[in-house]
Amino acid sequence: MARVLSGIQPTGDIHLGNYLGAVRGWVEDQHTQDSYFCVVDLHAITVPRDPAELRAKTLELTLLLVAAGLDPEVCTLFVQSHVHQHAELSWILECVASMGELRRMTQFKEKSSDAEESARVGLFTYPVLQAADILLYDAERVPVGEDQRQHLELCRDIALRFNHRYGDTFVVPDATLPKVGARIMDLQRPTAKMSKSADSPQGTVLVLDEPAVIERKLKRAVTDTATEVTFDPDKKPGVANLLQILAAATGRQPADVAEGYSQYGPLKADTAAAVVELLRPVRERYAELASDPEAVRSTLRQGAEKAEAVASGTLARARTAIGLLSRS
Ligand code: TYM
């Protein structure tokens, strides 16, 4: 079985992009791969957060992942900060990564563009912590959406450089993206990705949205003034996004889906119906789990223990390789 690791931030509310781009694939992976999934709370503090809210969101996201189908008895589900090796390996890797390669990260450029001087140092070094998350588990595959591709390239570069300089220490991972749904766009601004932090509530379908809300958001999705339904992400990004969502929800290809439509109205209605059905079981299961959050919380302890058993071995290897003297 290949080892798989991925993570998700407990910021904002999880949306259709997170679900189709990542979480849904994790649910499948857990049955065929040796899977580790973490709620990355250390990544969430790279911008200031309300402490009580961060704690609440961390638990809420864990419940949601279980509601989406992650089974803590089958995969290893844990909170990043519960396994201290992540922060420790991150420091070692910061001493391997270069300023230039971090400066090229588009996510840092986007998130700090207005105020680089006051951006937190952690926002800059964020991708190195992400590399530590992955390399600690000897992950061969990292299932993510398109927006994480660049961070995965950096992780590979860091692993290769470390191995070259200090001897074979880390497994060099590959990103795996879903064939359809790797980049779901904002419904109101279809040239921008759907995002937890975007100030576009009408453009973002949340996994926990009620059916009527999902229907309204999809009905009002921005398209264009023409009426022809073709899959052309450059010229018709709004329509292409709807086709992509409907295709991902029904296991088809967007271009094939387009052939069944000659007007936008029915396309929007069918996309809404498919998304409602896709998310319904997650929302219902979440409501059950939320009535007893402690039950899921206790599984996080087990998850952290399992994760730490692997992470401590890899960290020890990295410490030795780079020349840190052992305590005993
Ligand atoms: P995050 O929390 O922003 O997103 C979680 C996952 O959802 C995917 N995603 C999308 N997929 C398709 N369309 C979209 N509009 C969309 N928006 C988000 C993301 O690609 C991601 O797979 N840095 C990461 C978290 C992380 C991580 C890791 C991931 C930390 N350590 C180690 C993999 C391995 C992030 O902020 O994801």
Side-chain angles (χ1 to χ4, degrees), residues 125-140:
T125 58
Y126 176 119
V128 183
L129 177 60
Q130 181 164 348
D133 298 340
I134 297 165
L135 300 181
L136 272 179
Y137 296 91
D138 290 333
E140 293 152 81

Side-chain angles (χ1 to χ4, degrees), residues 5-11 15-23 26 38 40 43 61 80 86 107 111 126-127 129-134 142-149 151-152 178 181-186 192-196 244:
L5 175 127
S6 201
I8 182 166
Q9 286 198 64
T11 49
H15 54 70
L16 187 63
N18 300 130
Y19 185 72
L20 291 175
V23 175
W26 303 354
C38 57
V40 293
H43 279 108
L61 178 56
Q80 182 189 36
H86 289 243
Q107 212 159 69
K111 291 196 175 168
Y126 176 119
L129 177 60
Q130 181 164 348
D133 298 340
I134 297 165
V142 184
V144 284
E146 169 73 41
D147 62 343
Q148 295 302 317
R149 204 193 270 278
H151 288 163
L152 260 294
R183 189 171 174 81
I184 302 293
M185 310 307 274
D186 187 292
K193 71 172 186 199
M194 191 177 280
S195 148
K196 294 197 202 101
Q244 183 194 198

Side-chain angles (χ1 to χ4, degrees), residues 24 178-181 229-231 239-261 267:
R24 188 171 66 157
K179 287 196 183 71
V180 182
V229 179
T230 51
F231 182 65
V239 177
N241 193 34
L242 292 173
L243 290 167
Q244 183 194 198
I245 293 171
L246 179 53
T250 55
R252 296 158 69 201
Q253 289 299 317
D256 297 341
V257 172
E259 287 174 10
Y261 293 92
L267 171 63

Side-chain angles (χ1 to χ4, degrees), residues 205-257:
V205 174
L206 303 180
V207 170
L208 293 180
D209 273 345
E210 295 287 333
V213 174
I214 297 177
E215 280 158 12
R216 194 182 63 234
K217 288 178 179 174
L218 280 156
K219 201 166 155 198
R220 294 187 186 159
V222 167
T223 48
D224 52 51
T225 50
T227 54
E228 199 193 343
V229 179
T230 51
F231 182 65
D232 186 341
D234 293 329
K235 293 204 188 99
K236 294 165 84 73
V239 177
N241 193 34
L242 292 173
L243 290 167
Q244 183 194 198
I245 293 171
L246 179 53
T250 55
R252 296 158 69 201
Q253 289 299 317
D256 297 341
V257 172

Side-chain angles (χ1 to χ4, degrees), residues 96 101 152-162 172:
V96 176
E101 60 193 352
L152 260 294
E153 277 305 312
L154 176 74
C155 175
R156 288 174 58 87
D157 289 346
I158 292 175
L160 288 166
R161 190 174 314 141
F162 191 103
V172 181

Side-chain angles (χ1 to χ4, degrees), residues 28-309:
E28 285 170 23
D29 283 338
Q30 69 180 340
H31 297 295
T32 54
Q33 323 269 332
D34 182 17
S35 302
Y36 288 72
F37 301 114
C38 57
V39 174
V40 293
D41 53 348
L42 294 174
H43 279 108
I45 58 173
T46 51
V47 290
R49 302 274 167 207
D50 175 72
E53 192 182 308
L54 175 62
R55 261 188 296 275
K57 284 275 174 210
T58 303
L59 186 56
E60 201 182 294
L61 178 56
T62 308
L63 293 180
L64 227 154
L65 293 174
V66 175
L70 288 186
D71 180 348
E73 299 294 322
V74 174
C75 65
T76 304
L77 177 61
F78 64 103
V79 172
Q80 182 189 36
S81 72
H82 292 177
V83 181
H84 65 81
Q85 285 82 358
H86 289 243
E88 215 173 321
L89 182 61
S90 185
W91 174 257
I92 292 177
L93 300 182
E94 276 178 37
C95 300
V96 176
S98 75
M99 295 289 286
E101 60 193 352
L102 289 186
R103 221 180 263 126
R104 283 194 291 278
M105 296 291 115
T106 50
Q107 212 159 69
F108 173 74
K109 284 194 258 184
E110 280 165 19
K111 291 196 175 168
S112 67
S113 59
D114 307 335
E116 197 186 307
E117 279 300 303
S118 59
R120 303 301 193 249
V121 175
L123 191 65
F124 186 64
T125 58
Y126 176 119
V128 183
L129 177 60
Q130 181 164 348
D133 298 340
I134 297 165
L135 300 181
L136 272 179
Y137 296 91
D138 290 333
E140 293 152 81
R141 282 190 42 216
V142 184
V144 284
E146 169 73 41
D147 62 343
Q148 295 302 317
R149 204 193 270 278
Q150 196 187 31
H151 288 163
L152 260 294
E153 277 305 312
L154 176 74
C155 175
R156 288 174 58 87
D157 289 346
I158 292 175
L160 288 166
R161 190 174 314 141
F162 191 103
N163 287 348
H164 180 71
R165 203 169 291 165
Y166 302 110
D168 230 2
T169 307
F170 296 122
V171 171
V172 181
D174 281 313
T176 46
L177 278 65
K179 287 196 183 71
V180 182
R183 189 171 174 81
I184 302 293
M185 310 307 274
D186 187 292
L187 299 176
Q188 291 297 316
R189 281 179 297 147
T191 49
K193 71 172 186 199
M194 191 177 280
S195 148
K196 294 197 202 101
S197 50
D199 186 17
S200 176
Q202 295 312 315
T204 309
V205 174
L206 303 180
V207 170
L208 293 180
D209 273 345
E210 295 287 333
V213 174
I214 297 177
E215 280 158 12
R216 194 182 63 234
K217 288 178 179 174
L218 280 156
K219 201 166 155 198
R220 294 187 186 159
V222 167
T223 48
D224 52 51
T225 50
T227 54
E228 199 193 343
V229 179
T230 51
F231 182 65
D232 186 341
D234 293 329
K235 293 204 188 99
K236 294 165 84 73
V239 177
N241 193 34
L242 292 173
L243 290 167
Q244 183 194 198
I245 293 171
L246 179 53
T250 55
R252 296 158 69 201
Q253 289 299 317
D256 297 341
V257 172
E259 287 174 10
Y261 293 92
S262 55
Q263 288 175 312
Y264 294 164
L267 171 63
K268 287 181 171 179
D270 287 358
T271 307
V275 172
V276 165
E277 287 318 311
L278 183 74
L279 298 179
R280 186 190 302 282
V282 183
R283 192 167 43 85
E284 290 176 354
R285 179 106 177 87
Y286 181 82
E288 286 166 27
L289 293 169
S291 64
D292 182 15
E294 285 308 310
V296 168
R297 193 171 172 172
S298 68
T299 68
L300 283 176
R301 206 167 314 125
Q302 272 174 34
E305 278 165 19
K306 271 167 74 188
E308 187 162 18

